[in-house]
mmCIF file of all heavy atoms in Angstrom:
data_model
loop_
_atom_site.group_PDB
_atom_site.id
_atom_site.type_symbol
_atom_site.label_atom_id
_atom_site.label_comp_id
_atom_site.label_asym_id
_atom_site.label_seq_id
_atom_site.Cartn_x
_atom_site.Cartn_y
_atom_site.Cartn_z
ATOM 1 N N ASN B 141 1.277 41.212 -25.971
ATOM 2 C CA ASN B 141 1.602 40.453 -27.226
ATOM 3 C C ASN B 141 0.674 41.023 -28.331
ATOM 4 O O ASN B 141 1.055 41.103 -29.451
ATOM 5 C CB ASN B 141 1.182 38.908 -27.015
ATOM 6 C CG ASN B 141 2.060 38.334 -26.066
ATOM 7 O OD1 ASN B 141 3.288 38.740 -25.915
ATOM 8 N ND2 ASN B 141 1.687 37.301 -25.374
ATOM 9 N N ASN B 142 -0.625 41.346 -28.015
ATOM 10 C CA ASN B 142 -1.505 41.851 -28.973
ATOM 11 C C ASN B 142 -1.086 43.168 -29.500
ATOM 12 O O ASN B 142 -1.250 43.459 -30.648
ATOM 13 C CB ASN B 142 -2.947 41.850 -28.387
ATOM 14 C CG ASN B 142 -3.595 40.642 -28.313
ATOM 15 O OD1 ASN B 142 -3.019 39.580 -28.854
ATOM 16 N ND2 ASN B 142 -4.741 40.499 -27.764
ATOM 17 N N VAL B 143 -0.570 43.979 -28.545
ATOM 18 C CA VAL B 143 -0.152 45.415 -28.941
ATOM 19 C C VAL B 143 1.030 45.200 -29.957
ATOM 20 O O VAL B 143 0.990 45.896 -30.995
ATOM 21 C CB VAL B 143 0.328 46.180 -27.684
ATOM 22 C CG1 VAL B 143 1.030 47.420 -28.089
ATOM 23 C CG2 VAL B 143 -0.907 46.540 -26.769
ATOM 24 N N ASP B 144 1.933 44.346 -29.663
ATOM 25 C CA ASP B 144 3.061 44.091 -30.552
ATOM 26 C C ASP B 144 2.639 43.564 -31.985
ATOM 27 O O ASP B 144 3.034 44.064 -32.914
ATOM 28 C CB ASP B 144 4.039 43.144 -29.969
ATOM 29 C CG ASP B 144 4.684 43.807 -28.721
ATOM 30 O OD1 ASP B 144 4.686 45.049 -28.594
ATOM 31 O OD2 ASP B 144 5.143 43.039 -27.783
ATOM 32 N N SER B 145 1.658 42.715 -31.778
ATOM 33 C CA SER B 145 1.167 42.046 -32.996
ATOM 34 C C SER B 145 0.414 42.985 -33.901
ATOM 35 O O SER B 145 0.500 43.022 -35.163
ATOM 36 C CB SER B 145 0.316 40.808 -32.765
ATOM 37 O OG SER B 145 -0.788 41.236 -32.141
ATOM 38 N N GLU B 146 -0.314 44.002 -33.285
ATOM 39 C CA GLU B 146 -1.036 44.950 -33.980
ATOM 40 C C GLU B 146 -0.085 45.824 -34.743
ATOM 41 O O GLU B 146 -0.448 46.302 -35.838
ATOM 42 C CB GLU B 146 -1.885 45.598 -33.119
ATOM 43 C CG GLU B 146 -3.224 44.984 -32.888
ATOM 44 C CD GLU B 146 -4.233 45.894 -32.074
ATOM 45 O OE1 GLU B 146 -3.882 47.106 -31.837
ATOM 46 O OE2 GLU B 146 -5.331 45.326 -31.813
ATOM 47 N N THR B 147 0.974 46.258 -34.015
ATOM 48 C CA THR B 147 1.867 47.214 -34.720
ATOM 49 C C THR B 147 2.643 46.579 -35.954
ATOM 50 O O THR B 147 2.967 47.245 -36.857
ATOM 51 C CB THR B 147 2.873 47.806 -33.708
ATOM 52 O OG1 THR B 147 3.426 46.644 -33.028
ATOM 53 C CG2 THR B 147 2.125 48.745 -32.725
ATOM 54 N N THR B 148 2.912 45.282 -35.778
ATOM 55 C CA THR B 148 3.773 44.711 -36.752
ATOM 56 C C THR B 148 2.874 44.030 -37.765
ATOM 57 O O THR B 148 2.629 44.673 -38.866
ATOM 58 C CB THR B 148 4.721 43.665 -36.300
ATOM 59 O OG1 THR B 148 3.943 42.661 -35.344
ATOM 60 C CG2 THR B 148 5.751 44.178 -35.327
ATOM 61 N N LYS B 149 2.351 42.858 -37.461
ATOM 62 C CA LYS B 149 1.424 42.273 -38.466
ATOM 63 C C LYS B 149 0.457 41.341 -37.698
ATOM 64 O O LYS B 149 0.858 40.868 -36.613
ATOM 65 C CB LYS B 149 2.195 41.438 -39.437
ATOM 66 C CG LYS B 149 3.154 40.375 -38.936
ATOM 67 C CD LYS B 149 3.726 39.585 -40.044
ATOM 68 C CE LYS B 149 4.575 38.412 -39.504
ATOM 69 N NZ LYS B 149 5.093 37.550 -40.478
ATOM 70 N N LYS B 150 -0.618 41.140 -38.234
ATOM 71 C CA LYS B 150 -1.564 40.248 -37.526
ATOM 72 C C LYS B 150 -1.220 38.800 -37.677
ATOM 73 O O LYS B 150 -1.147 38.392 -38.814
ATOM 74 C CB LYS B 150 -2.979 40.493 -38.059
ATOM 75 C CG LYS B 150 -3.556 41.843 -37.594
ATOM 76 C CD LYS B 150 -4.978 41.982 -37.976
ATOM 77 C CE LYS B 150 -5.590 43.338 -37.460
ATOM 78 N NZ LYS B 150 -6.996 43.453 -37.826
ATOM 79 N N PRO B 151 -1.276 38.037 -36.644
ATOM 80 C CA PRO B 151 -0.964 36.594 -36.706
ATOM 81 C C PRO B 151 -2.132 35.914 -37.165
ATOM 82 O O PRO B 151 -3.302 36.324 -37.130
ATOM 83 C CB PRO B 151 -0.652 36.111 -35.296
ATOM 84 C CG PRO B 151 -1.340 37.177 -34.407
ATOM 85 C CD PRO B 151 -1.464 38.462 -35.207
ATOM 86 N N ASN B 152 -1.856 34.690 -37.861
ATOM 87 C CA ASN B 152 -2.971 33.916 -38.420
ATOM 88 C C ASN B 152 -3.939 33.369 -37.305
ATOM 89 O O ASN B 152 -5.133 33.441 -37.260
ATOM 90 C CB ASN B 152 -2.456 32.791 -39.307
ATOM 91 C CG ASN B 152 -1.706 33.405 -40.508
ATOM 92 O OD1 ASN B 152 -2.099 34.425 -40.976
ATOM 93 N ND2 ASN B 152 -0.735 32.664 -40.934
ATOM 94 N N LYS B 153 -3.265 32.852 -36.257
ATOM 95 C CA LYS B 153 -3.975 32.263 -35.200
ATOM 96 C C LYS B 153 -3.918 33.245 -33.951
ATOM 97 O O LYS B 153 -2.848 33.662 -33.555
ATOM 98 C CB LYS B 153 -3.295 30.910 -34.847
ATOM 99 C CG LYS B 153 -4.153 30.021 -33.959
ATOM 100 C CD LYS B 153 -3.500 28.728 -33.555
ATOM 101 C CE LYS B 153 -4.209 28.041 -32.541
ATOM 102 N NZ LYS B 153 -3.408 26.822 -32.062
ATOM 103 N N PRO B 154 -5.000 33.573 -33.424
ATOM 104 C CA PRO B 154 -4.962 34.434 -32.261
ATOM 105 C C PRO B 154 -4.362 33.912 -31.076
ATOM 106 O O PRO B 154 -4.465 32.642 -30.771
ATOM 107 C CB PRO B 154 -6.390 34.790 -32.020
ATOM 108 C CG PRO B 154 -7.169 33.681 -32.577
ATOM 109 C CD PRO B 154 -6.430 33.134 -33.720
ATOM 110 N N LYS B 155 -3.715 34.708 -30.304
ATOM 111 C CA LYS B 155 -2.971 34.145 -29.104
ATOM 112 C C LYS B 155 -3.981 33.695 -28.111
ATOM 113 O O LYS B 155 -5.030 34.268 -27.963
ATOM 114 C CB LYS B 155 -2.109 35.262 -28.598
ATOM 115 C CG LYS B 155 -0.778 35.509 -29.313
ATOM 116 C CD LYS B 155 0.289 34.741 -28.665
ATOM 117 C CE LYS B 155 1.589 35.004 -29.352
ATOM 118 N NZ LYS B 155 2.703 34.229 -28.839
ATOM 119 N N ALA B 156 -3.608 32.738 -27.297
ATOM 120 C CA ALA B 156 -4.449 32.296 -26.271
ATOM 121 C C ALA B 156 -4.460 33.339 -25.134
ATOM 122 O O ALA B 156 -3.575 34.008 -24.808
ATOM 123 C CB ALA B 156 -3.945 30.918 -25.749
ATOM 124 N N VAL B 157 -5.695 33.504 -24.588
ATOM 125 C CA VAL B 157 -6.023 34.561 -23.668
ATOM 126 C C VAL B 157 -6.445 33.803 -22.431
ATOM 127 O O VAL B 157 -7.368 33.087 -22.361
ATOM 128 C CB VAL B 157 -7.018 35.554 -24.083
ATOM 129 C CG1 VAL B 157 -7.275 36.585 -23.029
ATOM 130 C CG2 VAL B 157 -6.600 36.236 -25.425
ATOM 131 N N PHE B 158 -5.688 34.103 -21.275
ATOM 132 C CA PHE B 158 -6.232 33.374 -20.087
ATOM 133 C C PHE B 158 -7.179 34.348 -19.285
ATOM 134 O O PHE B 158 -7.233 35.594 -19.600
ATOM 135 C CB PHE B 158 -4.979 33.195 -19.118
ATOM 136 C CG PHE B 158 -4.475 34.189 -18.341
ATOM 137 C CD1 PHE B 158 -4.934 34.557 -17.095
ATOM 138 C CD2 PHE B 158 -3.493 35.021 -18.828
ATOM 139 C CE1 PHE B 158 -4.488 35.702 -16.417
ATOM 140 C CE2 PHE B 158 -3.013 36.069 -18.168
ATOM 141 C CZ PHE B 158 -3.405 36.378 -16.947
#
Side-chain angles (χ1 to χ4, degrees):
Chain B
N141 292 335
N142 282 355
V143 169
D144 294 337
S145 64
E146 275 187 3
T147 51
T148 53
K149 59 175 184 179
K150 284 189 177 179
N152 294 330
K153 195 182 172 186
K155 283 263 181 183
V157 180
F158 79 91

